[in-house]
Amino acid sequence: MVAQESPGEWVLLQYRLPREPSTPRSAVWRRLRALGVAQLGDGLVALPHDARTREQLDWVAAEVREASGTAALWLARPATAAQEAELARTMARARAEEYRAVRDEALAGLQRTGGAGAASLPPAEHARLVKRLRAELRRVRRRDFSAPPERAEAVAAVEELARAAAAAPVAAGRHP
């Protein structure tokens, strides 16, 4: 995303919503969070520019206007490559934290698999955990513009958990 000599183009959403009712403000905040925006200031967010991110922020701008707010999209470049790199690092740190949370949950699930006793996950619960963590990985990937190393770790942990889930019923069948 950012390994360039000169800064790339970013799409910025500048918006303002009335304080009341608070429901539209919360909805817009959740939507922006799901997109993985970089918060540049109060009511000002950014994403690396491409057709998809521009369309996504355009939809959010429409939601803001429908809620009696004001919104404008801007295309801009950071003044320096260093500013862009810092912006990208901020976004990457946020995604890395999300991937670490998924990895940690998968590893905690792994500790509960295969072991006998009260700490073991029942197969159905194990399968639900794998399904939920895979869905969370997909959500994080949608807002990941930099693929930090934590991504591969999280994917590996979830897949290891999935393999353990697949092997658990077989192992249980071997030892009645």
Side-chain angles (χ1 to χ4, degrees), residues 10 12 21 26 38 47 85 98 106-107 161 171:
W10 291 67
L12 281 61
S26 298
L47 285 173
E98 294 170 343
L107 293 177
L161 180 65

Side-chain angles (χ1 to χ4, degrees), residues 105-115 121 126 129 156-157 160-162 164:
E105 194 168 350
L107 293 177
L110 269 171
Q111 289 179 344
R112 296 180 62 198
T113 53
L121 280 177
H126 196 149
L129 177 61
E160 187 176 347
L161 180 65

Side-chain angles (χ1 to χ4, degrees), residues 12-13 15 20 42 56 75 81 86 107 112 138 154 160 173:
L12 281 61
L13 170 64
Y15 67 98
E20 296 296 330
D42 191 28
Q56 289 170 329
L75 297 179
E86 179 55 33
L107 293 177
R112 296 180 62 198
R138 284 191 299 275
E160 187 176 347

Side-chain angles (χ1 to χ4, degrees), residues 7-24:
E9 198 165 54
W10 291 67
V11 59
L12 281 61
L13 170 64
Q14 173 270 316
Y15 67 98
R16 178 173 221 125
L17 276 164
R19 290 214 175 271
E20 296 296 330
S22 62
T23 302

Side-chain angles (χ1 to χ4, degrees), residues 49-73:
H49 178 249
D50 64 24
R52 182 180 63 95
T53 57
R54 183 175 179 160
E55 182 179 7
Q56 289 170 329
L57 288 183
D58 204 22
W59 280 104
V60 175
E63 287 179 30
V64 168
R65 289 185 203 106
E66 287 173 12
S68 303
T70 58
L73 287 183

Side-chain angles (χ1 to χ4, degrees), residues 79-129:
T80 66
Q83 286 177 320
E84 183 177 48
E86 179 55 33
L87 188 58
R89 275 192 298 274
T90 300
M91 294 173 73
R93 280 193 296 267
R95 298 300 79 77
E97 184 63 34
E98 294 170 343
Y99 284 126
R100 279 192 293 274
V102 170
R103 179 203 61 202
D104 292 349
E105 194 168 350
L107 293 177
L110 269 171
Q111 289 179 344
R112 296 180 62 198
T113 53
S120 293
L121 280 177
E125 189 177 333
H126 196 149
R128 279 193 296 274
L129 177 61

Side-chain angles (χ1 to χ4, degrees), residues 2 88 159 169:
V2 180
E159 291 313 308

